[in-house]
Amino acid sequence: MDFATSSPGYAAPAPSGPTTSVKIVVAGGFGVGKTTFVGAVSEINPLTTEAVMTAASDGIDDLTKVPDKTTTTVAMDFGRVSLDRDLILYLFGTPGQNRFWFMWDDLTRGAIGAVVLVDTRRLADCFAAIDYFEDAGLPYIIAVNCFDGLLSHEMDDVREALSVPTDVPIVTCDARSRESTKLTLIRLVEHSMSRFAAMR
Amino acid sequence: MTGGRTRARYQLALEALVSTTPQGRNPGYGLMPEHQRICELCVEIKSLAEIAALMRMPLGVARVMVGDMAESGLIAVQQPGAAEGKPDLALLERVLLGLRNL
Ligand SMILES: Nc1nc2c(ncn2[C@@H]2O[C@H](COP(=O)(O)OP(=O)(O)O)[C@@H](O)[C@H]2O)c(=O)[nH]1
Ligand SMILES: [Mg+2]
C-alpha cells in the first residue's frame, strides 16, 4: 500500500504550528476483526502497547493492601492515520479481555467515539463494550463485520438483539477493506458531531 | 531511572504527541540510553503509545519517562485536541474532512 501518496502531508516537511492528535476506539469481542480494521486504514503496521497492572484485576489498586502482588499485562493494538499535515488520528483496539476496565478509561478519555464491531454469529460478545460506552456517554456506532459477505440477521434484528437506542447508527463493514473502514469512521465522526451539537 | 514516579503531574494521554526539542537533539554527554533513544525516535513526532510500543516498554514506564524528559527540556509534549473532555466541533469537522480526503 502506498501510504506516502495517499496521506496528505505524510512526506511533507514538518509543519510550523503544533500538531494535534485525536483518537477513535475500536471495540468488540475476540476475533471480531478489530486488529484487521485498524490495520486496513492505518499508515503504519498496527503496533502493540502493553499496560501492566500490579494488582488483582478486581478493582484493588492500592498496592500496600495487596500482600503478594499479581501483575497482569494488557495488550492493545493501535494504528495511525495522518489526516492533515498537523492532524493525526490514532485508532485503538480494545484489549481482548473485557474485564480490564482500568485500561478502558485510559482508552476512551477524550476520544471522538467508538466503533463497536459485531459478528452476528456471536452478538453477545459486544454487550459489555456497549454497556461501557453507554455509561461513559461516549458516542458509538455499531459496525457489523460481514464475514463471508453474509448477514445472518436483518439489521433491525441486530438493533433489537443489542437493544441499542434508535439514534445509534448500525452499519455493515468489511474490516479488511480500507474504503469500508474509512466509511465506517466517517459515519462515527458524523454521529459524534450530531451528539456533541445536540449537547450544547 | 523513573524519578518522580509518585508525582501525578503528567497524566499523559495515550495519543499525546511528543517531539524532540533542539536541546534534545544536542543533549551533550551523560544521557541515559533510553532517553537518548526516545530523543532519536521523536525527531519525527510520536505519540506516547508509539513510544511505549517502539521502546518495548510498558505504558506506565513510558509515561513516567516522557514526563521526566519533558521536565528536563529534552522533548516537548503536546496534549491531544480533546485532553479535557470532548473534541470540539471545529476539530471534528477537520477530522471528517481528513477522512473524506483519504
Ligand atoms: N472473512 C473475513 N475474515 C475476517 C474479516 N475481518 C477479520 N477477519 C479475520 O478474522 C480473524 C480475527 O481478526 P482480528 O482482526 O485479529 O480480530 P480481533 O481479535 O478483534 O483483533 C483474522 O484471521 C482475520 O483475518 C472479514 O471481514 N471477513
Ligand atoms: Mg486483535
Side-chain angles (χ1 to χ4, degrees):
Chain A
M1 268 177 272
D2 189 2
F3 294 117
T5 54
S6 59
S7 309
Y10 184 64
S16 47
T19 302
T20 305
S21 54
V22 289
K23 96 184 139 182
I24 287 174
V25 176
V26 181
F30 180 77
V32 74
K34 300 180 295 293
T35 306
T36 306
F37 185 102
V38 170
V41 71
S42 175
E43 69 202 16
I44 55 171
N45 281 327
L47 293 170
T48 303
T49 186
E50 296 191 331
V52 179
M53 189 179 51
T54 316
S57 60
D58 55 355
I60 304 168
D61 48 15
D62 185 351
L63 296 184
T64 57
K65 291 182 187 142
V66 184
D68 51 339
K69 299 190 260 182
T70 28
T71 60
T72 314
T73 302
V74 186
M76 293 168 298
D77 295 330
F78 65 97
R80 185 183 68 192
V81 187
S82 295
L83 295 179
D84 204 341
R85 51 171 53 206
D86 61 351
L87 182 60
I88 306 176
L89 167 65
Y90 286 94
L91 296 173
F92 284 92
T94 54
Q97 314 90 325
N98 276 337
R99 61 202 171 93
F100 297 127
W101 298 112
F102 78 100
M103 206 54 239
W104 286 60
D105 295 344
D106 224 0
L107 276 173
T108 55
R109 195 184 312 115
I112 289 175
V115 172
V116 179
L117 279 178
V118 169
D119 179 345
T120 54
R121 295 164 300 185
R122 294 172 294 159
L123 278 177
D125 287 2
C126 68
F127 289 172
I130 291 174
D131 287 344
Y132 183 93
F133 299 138
E134 283 284 345
D135 285 350
L138 189 76
Y140 66 93
I141 66 169
I142 305 292
V144 177
N145 195 15
C146 298
F147 287 89
D148 312 317
L150 190 112
L151 269 180
S152 59
H153 296 249
E154 296 296 329
M155 285 307 199
D156 286 346
D157 294 342
V158 171
R159 183 181 298 282
E160 198 179 311
L162 299 180
S163 64
V164 291
T166 48
D167 65 320
V168 173
I170 300 186
V171 301
T172 56
C173 82
D174 183 334
R176 299 162 299 178
S177 153
R178 177 173 163 85
E179 193 58 25
S180 179
T181 52
K182 190 182 111 176
L183 290 174
T184 305
L185 294 174
I186 287 172
R187 193 70 195 87
L188 171 67
V189 177
E190 287 170 344
H191 178 58
S192 295
M193 288 175 73
S194 63
R195 280 278 308 273
F196 291 145
M199 273 159 48
R200 294 201 301 183
Chain B
M1 144 170 161
T2 48
R5 184 182 288 109
T6 54
R7 282 172 286 170
R9 315 153 293 178
Y10 289 105
Q11 185 53 14
L12 291 179
L14 292 170
E15 72 277 25
L17 294 174
V18 178
S19 52
T20 308
T21 60
Q23 184 195 327
R25 287 171 196 237
N26 279 300
Y29 298 105
L31 211 58
M32 280 170 46
E34 287 95 338
H35 286 190
Q36 195 169 335
R37 280 172 61 206
I38 292 176
C39 282
E40 285 160 14
L41 213 55
C42 297
V43 168
E44 275 180 60
I45 203 159
K46 298 279 184 307
S47 61
L48 170 66
E50 283 171 289
I51 293 171
L54 296 169
M55 296 287 294
R56 298 176 192 282
M57 280 175 178
L59 200 55
V61 175
R63 203 169 238 156
V64 171
M65 201 170 274
V66 163
D68 288 348
M69 290 177 68
E71 192 150 275
S72 43
L74 295 168
I75 53 173
V77 176
Q78 171 82 25
Q79 278 279 38
E84 295 102 37
K86 319 244 178 280
D88 62 30
L89 277 175
L91 182 58
L92 291 178
E93 290 275 11
R94 293 195 57 211
V95 172
L96 198 56
L97 191 67
L99 283 170
R100 287 188 172 135
N101 288 337
L102 273 186

